[in-house]
Amino acid sequence: MTVHPEKLQHLIDRAMGQEPVRVAVVDAAQSVVLETLRDATRAGLAEPRLIGDPEATLQLCRALDWTPDADWLITARSDAEAAATGVKLVRSGGADLLMKGNIHTDILMRTVLDGATGLRLPDRRCSHVFVVDIPGHDRLIGITDAAINITPDLAAKGEICQNAVDLFHMLGVAEPRVAVLSAVETVTASIASTLDAACLTLMGRRGQITGAYVDGPLAFDNAISQRAAAEKGILSEVAGQADILLVPDLVSGNILAKALEYLGGAVAAGVALGLSAPVVLTSRADPAPARMASLAIAALMLRHSKVQKMPRPSAETSVAAAPQHNPACCAPGLTANQAKLA
C-alpha cells in the first residue's frame, strides 16, 4: 500500500531531523530569501553561504533581527558572478546544495547547466518539479516540468517523468500515479500532447518508465477528481488519484502551478532534478513557507543521495545500459523572458 507524506510540513519536520546542509544562496539580498535562511538556520536545517552584495545583505538581515556569521557572506558583483560562485562552491565541496535567490532563473540555470563547469550529470536530463500542498486535498501533488524544459518531445517527457517518479519515491510514495495531462482524455490526432501521453502510458507498461503507474491522456479534472473520472466513465489506476501531473509544456505547467498557488491557496515547493547536487528553484515572488519547504526537500534529496552512495556490504553484479544521447534541456539562445519563473 502506498504511504503518502501528509503535507509539506511533514517533509520539513523530516529534514530538520538530520545534519544542517550548507546552502549556497545565489543573490541572497532579498528579504523573503533571508527570512527563510534565518528560520532554517535557527531550526538547525541549514548553514547558508550568502552570495551577492554583502552590505545590502547585512542591511536586510538587520531588519530581520538576524546577524549571520561574517564568513557566511561572499561577495559577488553581478548575477552572473553570483551564479558562478555558487556553482563553484558546490563543485568544490564548500556547499552541499544551491538555492536561487533574487536572480532570474535563466541566468542561474545557464551556469548550472554548463557542460564544463556546471552541475550537469552525463546522460541525465535536468528537470523541475513543483511539489504542491493544496488546501483540502489529501496528498501532495507534483507538477512537472513548469520551469526548465520549454517544449519537451516524447523522449524528454519520459526522462522528466522518471525524474519526478524518483523524487516521489524519495518522499515516501512507493508507486506514484502519474497523470499525463492534455485538454482531453481521448487520443486525438490533431492534439499532439495526447499522442505523447498515449506513448508514455505504453512506455510505463513496458518498463521504460519504472516504479510508477502512468496513464494518459487525462484532462486535469479527471486526473484529480474521482467524481469527474467516474462521470466520464474512465477506468484507470491513475484517474482521480494522481500524485504527479506531467504537463505538455512549460507554459501550461507554470500557469497551472501558479493558478493553484494564487487562486487555490496552495504552497508550491520547487526543486531542480537530474543534477550532481540539489538546486532549490522557486519563483522570486514565492513566500517564505514555499522556500522553506523547497529547502527541506532539497535537504532530503541530499541525504538520500548520500545513503545511496554508501558502499554495499558485499559485491553485486549489475547490468548497465548503454549511454544514450541527451540533448540540452533548455533551448539554445534562450532569452531572459522565455525561462524565468516570475
Side-chain angles (χ1 to χ4, degrees):
M1 180 178 178
T2 296
V3 177
H4 294 273
E6 293 177 3
K7 287 291 182 177
L8 286 177
Q9 186 59 49
H10 173 73
L11 300 180
I12 294 171
D13 293 342
R14 276 176 56 189
M16 286 181 178
Q18 61 188 45
E19 290 295 315
V21 292
R22 298 168 301 163
V23 186
V25 187
V26 179
D27 199 352
Q30 184 181 18
S31 182
V32 68
V33 172
L34 293 170
E35 178 187 354
T36 304
L37 271 299
R38 178 201 65 187
D39 294 346
T41 301
R42 289 175 177 175
L45 173 59
E47 183 181 290
R49 307 291 185 266
L50 305 173
I51 304 167
D53 182 340
E55 290 301 321
T57 300
L58 278 175
Q59 185 176 352
L60 290 170
C61 286
R62 293 188 193 103
L64 294 167
D65 191 27
W66 180 42
T67 306
D69 290 355
D71 58 0
W72 291 356
L73 298 168
I74 300 173
T75 301
R77 293 177 292 275
S78 67
D79 284 351
E81 183 181 344
T85 300
V87 169
K88 186 176 180 179
L89 265 177
V90 174
R91 285 176 60 96
S92 67
D96 300 310
L97 57 90
L98 201 66
M99 182 174 183
K100 176 190 170 189
N102 191 29
I103 184 173
H104 285 293
T105 298
D106 68 306
I107 297 174
L108 177 62
M109 293 309 296
R110 188 180 301 122
T111 306
V112 168
L113 296 175
D114 185 281
T117 61
L119 302 178
R120 295 199 69 171
L121 290 171
D123 303 309
R124 285 291 302 273
R125 176 171 295 274
C126 175
S127 62
H128 183 275
V129 174
F130 278 119
V131 180
V132 186
D133 189 337
I134 306 168
H137 196 68
D138 65 347
R139 66 185 68 193
L140 296 172
I141 296 292
I143 299 175
T144 192
D145 180 340
I148 295 176
N149 292 275
I150 301 171
T151 53
D153 60 15
L154 176 61
K157 287 178 182 178
E159 295 173 272
I160 291 166
C161 182
Q162 190 67 63
N163 279 350
V165 168
D166 293 344
L167 174 65
F168 268 65
H169 287 167
M170 185 275 298
L171 296 181
V173 184
E175 291 184 300
R177 292 173 166 86
V178 182
V180 188
L181 294 188
S182 187
V184 295
E185 60 278 352
T186 54
V187 179
T188 305
S190 59
I191 304 178
S193 58
T194 68
L195 304 179
D196 284 351
C199 292
L200 290 163
T201 301
L202 187 57
M203 289 168 68
R205 293 175 183 173
R206 297 286 174 85
Q208 292 174 267
I209 299 169
T210 61
Y213 299 106
V214 182
D215 194 23
L218 291 170
F220 177 77
D221 57 349
N222 48 61
I224 294 296
S225 167
Q226 291 185 330
R227 181 193 61 79
E231 286 288 340
K232 294 185 177 182
I234 300 172
L235 300 177
S236 165
E237 293 173 313
V238 175
Q241 49 188 339
D243 299 298
I244 298 168
L245 305 176
L246 181 61
V247 297
D249 53 44
L250 181 148
V251 173
S252 58
N254 199 270
I255 291 171
L256 173 58
K258 289 184 177 178
L260 291 172
E261 186 177 4
Y262 284 91
L263 297 178
V267 176
V271 290
L273 311 174
L275 299 165
S276 61
V279 175
V280 175
L281 196 61
T282 55
S283 169
R284 286 171 297 135
D286 277 343
R291 296 171 188 272
M292 180 68 84
S294 304
L295 182 56
I297 291 172
L300 291 172
M301 289 169 59
L302 182 70
R303 173 61 180 165
H304 180 74
S305 67
K306 287 181 177 178
V307 170
Q308 294 293 95
K309 291 176 183 176
M310 289 177 64
R312 300 180 187 274
S314 60
E316 296 182 4
T317 302
S318 63
V319 178
Q324 297 181 13
H325 174 64
N326 182 17
C329 59
C330 291
L334 190 62
T335 65
N337 288 329
Q338 284 178 307
K340 62 187 179 181
L341 282 173

